[in-house]
Amino acid sequence: MRHLMNPLDFTVEELDTLFDLAVDIETYPAKYAHACEGRKLATCFYEPSTRTRLSFEAAMLNLGGQVLGFSDAGSSSASKGESVSDTIRIISCYADICAMRHPKEGAPMVAAERSGIPVINAGDGGHQHPTQTLTDLLTIRALKGRLGSFTIGLCGDLKFGRTVHSLINALIRYPDIHFIFISPPELKVPDYITDMLHDKGITYEEVIRLEDSISQLDLLYMTRVQRERFFNEEDYVRLKDFYILNKEKMKLAKKDMLVLHPLPRVNEISVEVDDDPRAVYFKQAKYGVYVRMALILTLLQSAGQPCNLCQ
Ligand code: CP
């Protein structure tokens, strides 16, 4: 039985297979409409979410399965002091697979160690968000036609942004990637990541102004300043509008540069950019459903529960 804690849990070849499956699901949805009949997905969300929780639920419903769960730790027995380990042992009696989001780094990993069903890390603190990374990679592959040979700018909160940490981890396995980290000094990408890039001989630059590097980019990955991870409101208020991507800045970019964002957005992308064909963040959210459908099928299969399609 397999879990997904980190994008590196899948090899590059396994990711290719997963993305091929996601594309097949997008192309032939009817083929998969009963694939998970009789199966249940539990969504255990100890932190707020719109896209991740609802796209997991949509994914399971699209596969003919059912969903149960909670969207707030306060409405679960965590509020009475129940541990994640105990909760997952109970969820394992009720569901076939679980997607878990938790504010504490490593909590889904603790759950996976005690679980009788596959556990998917749906975001743990400022650490990892592997299914967002699968979504990002599928979007890039679908819209650019390749995963490799590009310059990617990651802009905004690179310190607390778990989507950024997961995406860097995943991209370093593809050839000829150059990173440009665009952040205020207070929100720089953590040293353990730049140390790792240095050790692997992967090229990167760290800059402060988006205007200075946007013309070099094939991909621009915007992120929100993570208010919930700040220690004080004053720092958040000072940094929250540090970057605002607008039409003027888009004029400096390549004609085929793509703008991605894991969403939710606050102010970092002006709504006037939404109509630019290079702005693909809403398409990206849709790819998230297909890749989560592919992931549910793959992990259930690993747990000895092949989908109805395969039987
Ligand atoms: N991208 C993402 O994780 O969004 P949610 O927090 O709404 O799930």
Side-chain angles (χ1 to χ4, degrees):
M1 184 176 70
R2 296 184 74 170
H3 308 283
L4 179 71
M5 293 296 120
N6 183 312
L8 302 185
D9 292 347
F10 285 103
T11 63
V12 168
E13 293 71 28
E14 286 173 330
L15 285 183
D16 274 341
T17 304
L18 189 83
F19 297 147
D20 290 344
L21 178 57
V23 169
D24 200 59
I25 289 168
E26 180 190 9
T27 314
Y28 307 106
K31 195 169 133 187
Y32 297 90
H34 304 284
C36 283
E37 244 164 34
R39 310 272 155 68
K40 296 187 214 76
L41 165 79
T43 51
C44 298
F45 276 59
Y46 296 83
E47 247 194 2
S49 167
T50 296
R51 270 145 298 276
T52 311
R53 186 172 65 82
L54 295 182
S55 66
F56 262 117
E57 295 190 358
M60 193 50 154
L61 295 172
N62 290 347
L63 292 167
Q66 292 170 297
V67 296
L68 67 163
F70 54 86
S71 58
D72 170 15
S75 68
S76 79
S77 286
S79 62
K80 302 176 207 161
E82 185 170 55
S83 68
V84 163
S85 299
D86 282 358
T87 301
I88 195 65
R89 290 177 78 163
I90 300 304
I91 298 290
S92 300
C93 304
Y94 303 155
D96 302 289
I97 186 165
C98 173
M100 178 179 286
R101 171 171 288 188
H102 202 286
K104 282 207 179 120
E105 284 140 19
M109 174 71 91
V110 170
E113 280 164 8
R114 288 285 170 181
S115 180
I117 58 175
V119 176
I120 301 166
N121 177 3
D124 61 329
H127 185 220
Q128 295 281 335
H129 192 345
T131 62
Q132 181 62 49
T133 301
L134 299 184
T135 302
D136 301 340
L137 295 179
L138 177 62
T139 305
I140 296 167
R141 195 183 91 148
L143 301 180
K144 275 280 177 209
R146 64 183 191 277
L147 279 169
S149 303
F150 50 70
T151 295
I152 179 167
L154 297 124
C155 178
D157 184 349
L158 309 188
K159 178 178 179 183
F160 296 115
R162 60 191 171 200
T163 59
V164 167
H165 305 159
S166 277
L167 184 58
I168 297 168
N169 248 348
L171 282 176
I172 58 172
R173 299 190 295 180
Y174 296 94
D176 195 21
I177 305 271
H178 179 62
F179 291 100
I180 303 187
F181 300 130
I182 307 157
S183 73
E186 296 90 335
L187 297 177
K188 274 175 59 171
V189 75
D191 288 346
Y192 79 87
I193 291 184
T194 47
D195 289 348
M196 181 260 302
L197 294 177
H198 198 261
D199 290 347
K200 291 184 182 295
I202 294 165
T203 58
Y204 69 90
E205 297 165 49
E206 293 185 280
V207 302
I208 295 176
R209 279 164 46 89
L210 176 58
E211 299 87 316
D212 293 344
S213 51
I214 194 168
S215 64
Q216 299 173 57
L217 306 178
D218 301 302
L219 298 164
L220 171 58
Y221 194 89
M222 293 296 294
T223 62
R224 150 185 89 88
V225 174
Q226 308 265 309
R227 179 181 209 157
E228 63 276 29
R229 316 249 179 255
F230 270 74
F231 294 113
N232 68 70
E233 183 73 5
E234 204 177 297
D235 283 350
Y236 169 72
V237 169
R238 186 166 53 81
L239 294 168
K240 72 183 173 66
D241 293 329
F242 202 91
Y243 298 107
I244 299 181
L245 181 65
N246 57 18
K247 272 188 174 172
E248 280 309 300
K249 291 190 187 106
M250 287 298 285
K251 281 185 193 157
L252 304 172
K254 290 182 185 173
K255 295 277 174 272
D256 62 348
M257 183 193 79
L258 298 181
V259 184
L260 292 97
H261 191 311
L263 304 178
R265 117 179 99 185
V266 187
N267 287 326
E268 60 280 359
I269 302 181
S270 165
V271 290
E272 69 187 20
V273 176
D274 294 356
D275 295 330
D276 188 309
R278 294 169 291 181
V280 297
Y281 27 89
F282 291 112
K283 269 189 200 162
Q284 188 183 347
K286 196 157 186 195
Y287 281 117
V289 178
Y290 304 128
V291 87
R292 289 182 175 100
M293 289 171 76
L295 181 65
I296 289 169
L297 291 175
T298 303
L299 292 184
L300 283 176
Q301 189 124 14
S302 81
Q305 297 206 40
C307 62
N308 295 328
L309 184 81
C310 312
Q311 281 172 333

